[in-house]
Amino acid sequence: MIKKLMMIACTIGILSVVSHTNASAETVFYKNNSGYAYKYDNEVGLKVKWLIGTEKDKSHTAAAGKKASYYVTSEGAEKVQYNLWYYDTKGNWVSTGWSGIVDSQKPYLITLPENEVLVEGLNKVSVWVKRAEVTNGKYKNESGSYDCYSYTGVIAEEGHDILNNNIAYKREPEKFILNNIDNPQDYEYKVMFYDSEKGVFSNGEYGTAEIDIPNHEVLINVHMRKKGSDASWDAYKLFAVDQVNIVGNSAGNINGPAMFGGLVASQGKYIYYSILAEDPRYSEYCKIYRVKKDGTDKQVLSETPGAYLNVVGDYIYYKDFGNRGSLTKMKIDGTEKEVLDSGASNITVIGDDIYYVNNGLYKIKTDGTNKVKLSDNIIHKLSVSGDYIYYRNGAVDRTIYRLKTDGTEETQIYNDMVDHVIPSGDWLYFTKVEGENEPGDASIYKMKIDGTEIQKLNDEQSTNINVDGEYIYYTTLNGLYKMKTDGTDKTKIERKYYAHEFYVISGDVYSTYTWSDFIYSYGLFKLSE
């Protein structure tokens, strides 16, 4: 049986694809006359796949003098680590070091150091891969251990840099639109993407610059050729585009904390967060930031703090404490700040609609148009799910109401005093104040979103609840816990830092402050391991 064993490409320029008959031996080692080689062990079962952006039967030289980057995936393990080796100009093999633990099927970018570029002629590169669950790979040499590797030579020449020019595009939740490439007008282009589930690039047609894509991080492949040419391509470029949100933040992050919600949000590779501190000694930290989830690339986006952060596409929507609590939006890089309304709290963004409280419940478009008042009630703990808005009536009764997103059918669906209100799927999770407990000290309940099938999930005095996936996160006097949404599998989360209020991003728990012996520290802290 013939198997395609490896594909390799740098982000500018093309390498050849090699196929080989895989023998049934436990360990397969292959090397051809041009220097291509790989090692695969049937027992370990791990394979490397270097992604190529062109037809498999066409080879091309890479661009000399340019920085080399490579996209790789793997098969045979759920989580892996990569180590890129390159042959430097001094004649030495140099390692970039092991990557962090990554999903094997997700395209991963490996890049040479800043001072290394492809030299004219032959460039040697190799990648090691090992399973994430092992400290040492099965094979070992004087440079370290690995489970499998691939090696090849890259021929680089001058002049192959058409797609080094800027590419302007728009990323929507399920669409990629190529707006422009800064190139001579006599070129045309087509767009494809790498389907990680199928392990192939999608088909594309020249003259089509808009394609449907799944709403997660996607590897885009752009081909260019001269107009009128019958060539498959003259140049290409691979680059990743981030996932974009449809919903600006989770209901749990907005409504879970006892004080201001939404101090932490995320989109794609970045976490966005705001520091709030009552003590003026810490005012220098009170800003809006973003940082990559691996802790790198920290940036200040606003010199004044905010709350109820919602990140959707290219914009952040939030309550701006630097402008009297106004409803404000700004670009995700911190530019183009714009006020949409004079004040706002409990902000929730769904698509191009913003729901917020400002002496009543309002809805407004993300461009600031079509402002509509939906309710005159005193609204607390606002959240939106499907066709309905849920909230706690902030008047005397503190009960649960819902109304449609057009403002109709406003109805009380639960008539006991509650604190937090968080919809998730077909259920509404809330804390019910019982006995002589004060608001904020309550047991956790759930009921159907129409107010039926009420179920009690615990008997603890629970505060600051959050719902993420199949788990409820909450604090008690004894610490931070999580349990499944049916009330089972209660687990104490051992915190690296102590913080009362918290936010949950894809199962990871964060806070914007910690304290010990009445001394506060401010920043973004990951509480869970």
Side-chain angles (χ1 to χ4, degrees):
M1 179 176 63
I2 304 296
K3 291 187 177 181
K4 182 166 59 180
L5 295 175
M6 188 185 86
M7 296 189 293
I8 179 171
C10 57
T11 55
I12 304 170
I14 316 302
L15 303 179
S16 60
V17 179
V18 180
S19 297
H20 178 66
T21 302
N22 189 359
S24 59
E26 177 180 309
T27 302
V28 178
F29 176 79
Y30 172 67
K31 184 174 182 179
N32 67 12
N33 293 331
S34 64
Y36 168 79
Y38 75 91
K39 189 168 189 176
Y40 164 66
D41 186 297
N42 284 336
E43 182 178 343
V44 174
L46 192 60
K47 295 181 180 180
V48 190
K49 184 178 182 181
W50 298 53
L51 301 180
I52 191 168
T54 63
E55 292 81 357
K56 64 181 182 179
D57 59 346
K58 181 167 182 175
S59 61
H60 196 277
T61 52
K66 304 300 179 183
K67 186 176 179 180
S69 300
Y70 307 94
Y71 285 96
V72 295
T73 63
S74 300
E75 298 175 1
E78 182 179 350
K79 302 286 186 179
V80 296
Q81 291 178 273
Y82 298 106
N83 188 356
L84 180 67
W85 291 81
Y86 63 95
Y87 202 65
D88 68 10
T89 55
K90 297 179 181 178
N92 302 311
W93 280 103
V94 181
S95 168
T96 59
W98 285 104
S99 70
I101 296 173
V102 298
D103 293 334
S104 63
Q105 292 187 333
K106 182 179 179 180
Y108 182 76
L109 178 64
I110 300 177
T111 305
L112 293 181
E114 290 292 339
N115 59 340
E116 292 290 338
V117 297
L118 294 173
V119 298
E120 191 168 4
L122 178 64
N123 296 259
K124 301 176 183 178
V125 291
S126 178
V127 66
W128 288 7
V129 188
K130 72 179 182 70
R131 296 156 292 167
E133 67 269 19
V134 301
T135 303
N136 297 308
K138 184 172 182 179
Y139 297 97
K140 184 177 182 180
N141 60 26
E142 64 276 8
S143 299
S145 65
Y146 57 91
D147 284 327
C148 70
Y149 74 81
S150 288
Y151 160 85
T152 196
V154 183
I155 304 297
E157 294 181 355
E158 297 290 344
H160 298 278
D161 60 353
I162 294 175
L163 287 189
N164 274 334
N165 296 340
N166 292 327
I167 294 180
Y169 63 87
K170 181 178 182 181
R171 168 65 149 110
E172 295 180 353
E174 296 182 343
K175 195 174 294 293
F176 176 89
I177 304 168
L178 184 63
N179 292 328
N180 182 56
I181 298 179
D182 183 16
N183 66 280
Q185 296 300 308
D186 56 346
Y187 281 87
E188 61 181 352
Y189 44 80
K190 67 178 177 179
V191 185
M192 297 160 283
F193 76 95
Y194 180 72
D195 188 330
S196 57
E197 292 185 357
K198 297 179 180 178
V200 296
F201 281 97
S202 65
N203 294 321
E205 296 181 0
Y206 278 101
T208 302
E210 181 177 313
I211 58 171
D212 294 330
I213 58 176
N215 191 18
H216 53 68
E217 184 181 13
V218 170
L219 186 62
I220 296 294
N221 182 20
V222 178
H223 281 196
M224 283 183 61
R225 70 181 181 186
K226 289 185 177 181
K227 292 180 180 178
S229 172
D230 59 358
S232 297
W233 49 269
D234 291 325
Y236 83 101
K237 187 169 186 177
L238 295 172
F239 57 96
V241 294
D242 252 344
Q243 172 187 351
V244 297
N245 293 339
I246 299 174
V247 178
N249 205 343
S250 71
N253 286 340
I254 295 294
N255 294 327
M259 297 296 289
F260 290 110
L263 298 186
V264 179
S266 72
Q267 178 176 263
K269 297 185 181 72
Y270 283 93
I271 295 176
Y272 299 79
Y273 65 101
S274 176
I275 303 296
L276 292 179
E278 294 182 4
D279 192 326
R281 292 177 299 174
Y282 303 105
S283 60
E284 64 179 292
Y285 303 107
C286 294
K287 303 173 183 179
I288 298 177
Y289 305 82
R290 77 171 179 178
V291 65
K292 285 187 176 178
K293 291 178 179 177
D294 63 5
T296 63
D297 195 23
K298 178 181 175 181
Q299 304 169 33
V300 175
L301 302 182
S302 173
E303 293 292 335
T304 56
Y308 308 112
L309 303 185
N310 282 254
V311 187
V312 175
D314 293 332
Y315 286 92
I316 308 169
Y317 306 85
Y318 65 102
K319 179 185 184 74
D320 185 4
F321 289 110
N323 194 1
R324 300 181 179 181
S326 63
L327 173 60
T328 301
K329 76 174 185 178
M330 68 177 172
K331 284 283 192 79
I332 55 176
D333 62 1
T335 62
E336 299 185 23
K337 187 179 289 190
E338 179 184 352
V339 174
L340 301 180
D341 202 351
S342 58
S345 62
N346 293 108
I347 301 165
T348 297
V349 182
I350 310 290
D352 61 355
D353 289 317
I354 307 173
Y355 301 86
Y356 64 102
V357 177
N358 184 14
N359 294 320
L361 172 60
Y362 287 86
K363 177 169 73 171
I364 193 172
K365 291 295 183 182
T366 52
D367 63 2
T369 63
N370 297 340
K371 178 180 175 181
V372 179
K373 192 170 190 178
L374 303 178
S375 175
D376 288 312
N377 276 352
I378 300 175
I379 310 293
H380 289 174
K381 304 297 182 182
L382 166 70
S383 57
V384 184
S385 180
D387 295 330
Y388 284 91
I389 302 167
Y390 301 85
Y391 68 89
R392 187 193 76 198
N393 188 346
V396 177
D397 58 0
R398 298 170 62 93
T399 58
I400 302 176
Y401 283 71
R402 77 171 186 175
L403 71 160
K404 285 199 168 183
T405 54
D406 63 2
T408 62
E409 300 183 20
E410 189 165 19
T411 308
Q412 184 189 67
I413 60 172
Y414 188 73
N415 61 5
D416 278 344
M417 184 180 290
V418 303
D419 194 2
H420 304 283
V421 180
I422 300 174
S424 180
D426 295 330
W427 295 91
L428 197 65
Y429 300 85
F430 59 96
T431 52
K432 178 182 176 183
V433 180
E434 297 178 307
E436 297 180 357
N437 289 344
E438 295 294 328
D441 260 348
S443 299
I444 300 175
Y445 285 74
K446 76 174 183 178
M447 67 181 179
K448 287 287 190 177
I449 55 176
D450 62 0
T452 63
E453 298 186 31
I454 301 168
Q455 303 175 29
K456 188 175 184 177
L457 300 180
N458 75 349
D459 288 307
E460 300 172 279
Q461 294 183 6
S462 308
T463 60
N464 298 301
I465 74 166
N466 202 318
V467 181
D468 184 72
E470 62 177 349
Y471 282 97
I472 303 169
Y473 298 77
Y474 62 99
T475 54
T476 73
L477 294 176
N478 297 317
L480 174 63
Y481 292 85
K482 71 176 182 178
M483 64 180 172
K484 286 190 174 180
T485 52
D486 62 1
T488 63
D489 195 21
K490 174 184 171 182
T491 305
K492 186 172 185 179
I493 298 174
E494 297 300 330
R495 293 178 284 187
K496 295 186 290 184
Y497 309 96
Y498 182 82
H500 189 55
E501 297 183 353
F502 64 89
Y503 306 85
V504 183
I505 304 292
S506 301
D508 291 324
V509 184
Y510 296 89
S511 180
T512 57
Y513 75 91
T514 66
W515 67 278
S516 177
D517 297 327
F518 301 100
I519 298 175
Y520 284 83
S521 298
Y522 291 90
L524 182 67
F525 299 90
K526 188 175 180 180
L527 304 184
S528 57
E529 293 292 342

